[in-house]
Amino acid sequence: SGDAPEYPTFDALYSAVMSGVRNYLQWHNAMADNWCRQGPPSPLLSLLVDDCIEKASGYYERGARYYMLAPHAGGMADVANSLLVIRDLVYERHVLGLRDFCDILRGNWTGQEHLRRRIARTFEFYGNDDEAADAMMQRVFNDYAALVAEVPSRNGVLRPAGISTFGRQIEWAPQRMATASGAQAGTFLASNCSPTPGTDLQGPTAVLRSYCKLDFTRTPNGATLELKIHPESV
């Protein structure tokens, strides 16, 4: 939003992106303070959760032994792919400036279809067992997990990191703007911890190789992968 600052280096831009993630997580942590006190009476749930009977307190009355509200990142592949393109076009090869690129994206690639197609045709993105793309995904993944781990719990609510969308990528699509990796506004983007649709071009084994480069000990609440395989291929 607003005028794009001319970050002098890619690392400066990346730090600004992570600063935005940190700010969002701070809001999410504050939201968790009263999360387990806001629900309606839930007798069936309370009967099935440890310690509610012993304490004679319902689930939403802090009767349970554990409470968890996990931050879940969505669209991580889209972020990593876009950062990969920005680093290459803006900071390494100087094909265009950051503000010019922002203007192109705000215009939804109008008049720049040749550039959009060239990006889609020439870049290898997460999910293709490509070293550079997977390294960017690892960087975003690790930094997100590290930010979440700064607050392992808050007011008795556990805060383990996770990655998922589970259908929310459909809900988000109408608000999605164009991405630097070549997607147009309103496009359905990456689900869960899966590649951005249409970018995994080297088959399911390459997707698994990219995915398994991530350190899942850092996401205790999961990082789901979906594989889409045409029936005729098996």
Side-chain angles (χ1 to χ4, degrees):
S1 60
D3 293 333
E6 287 289 0
Y7 296 104
T9 64
F10 175 77
D11 284 342
L13 168 66
Y14 183 88
S15 294
V17 172
M18 284 300 136
S19 178
V21 175
R22 181 189 294 275
N23 291 338
Y24 186 84
L25 284 170
Q26 289 173 346
W27 169 84
H28 203 274
N29 284 327
M31 180 186 68
D33 284 351
N34 296 314
W35 168 76
C36 60
R37 303 178 188 273
Q38 295 174 343
S42 301
L44 180 59
L45 175 63
S46 301
L47 286 171
L48 299 173
V49 174
D50 286 346
D51 291 3
C52 287
I53 293 176
E54 290 78 2
K55 293 180 181 178
S57 296
Y59 182 81
Y60 289 111
E61 298 171 319
R62 286 289 181 131
R65 185 177 306 179
Y66 300 113
Y67 285 91
M68 180 176 69
L69 183 63
H72 271 240
M76 188 169 289
D78 310 313
V79 173
N81 293 343
S82 293
L83 289 170
L84 187 75
V85 172
I86 292 170
R87 184 179 65 183
D88 179 84
L89 295 185
V90 176
Y91 292 99
E92 293 180 351
R93 292 196 287 136
H94 307 288
V95 174
L96 70 172
L98 183 62
R99 289 181 177 173
D100 292 335
F101 204 176
C102 286
D103 288 342
I104 291 171
L105 299 181
R106 286 171 176 157
N108 196 24
W109 297 100
T110 300
Q112 297 290 337
E113 183 64 14
H114 67 289
L115 176 61
R116 191 182 76 85
R117 290 181 178 271
R118 189 173 74 181
I119 289 171
R121 187 172 61 249
T122 59
F123 279 87
E124 291 274 8
F125 291 128
Y126 166 71
N128 294 290
D129 194 22
D130 178 80
E131 182 178 349
D134 294 345
M136 184 65 76
M137 181 68 169
Q138 287 175 287
R139 183 177 183 180
V140 176
F141 176 97
N142 289 335
D143 289 343
Y144 157 73
L147 289 173
V148 176
E150 291 177 359
V151 185
S153 65
R154 178 160 166 158
N155 290 346
V157 180
L158 299 174
R159 310 285 287 137
I163 297 175
S164 76
T165 57
F166 292 116
R168 290 189 295 272
Q169 75 276 11
I170 299 172
E171 173 189 344
W172 295 335
Q175 290 79 44
R176 289 295 192 216
M177 297 179 69
T179 72
S181 55
Q184 293 179 304
T187 302
F188 293 118
L189 298 179
S191 61
N192 299 312
C193 198
S194 309
T196 302
T199 62
D200 49 325
L201 305 177
Q202 302 301 323
T205 303
V207 173
L208 289 169
R209 287 184 181 275
S210 292
Y211 176 72
C212 288
K213 294 173 187 177
L214 304 174
D215 179 6
F216 298 114
T217 65
R218 308 189 69 167
T219 51
N221 217 52
T224 302
L225 173 69
E226 300 170 18
L227 286 176
K228 301 175 179 67
I229 303 174
H230 195 281
E232 291 185 3
S233 69
V234 291

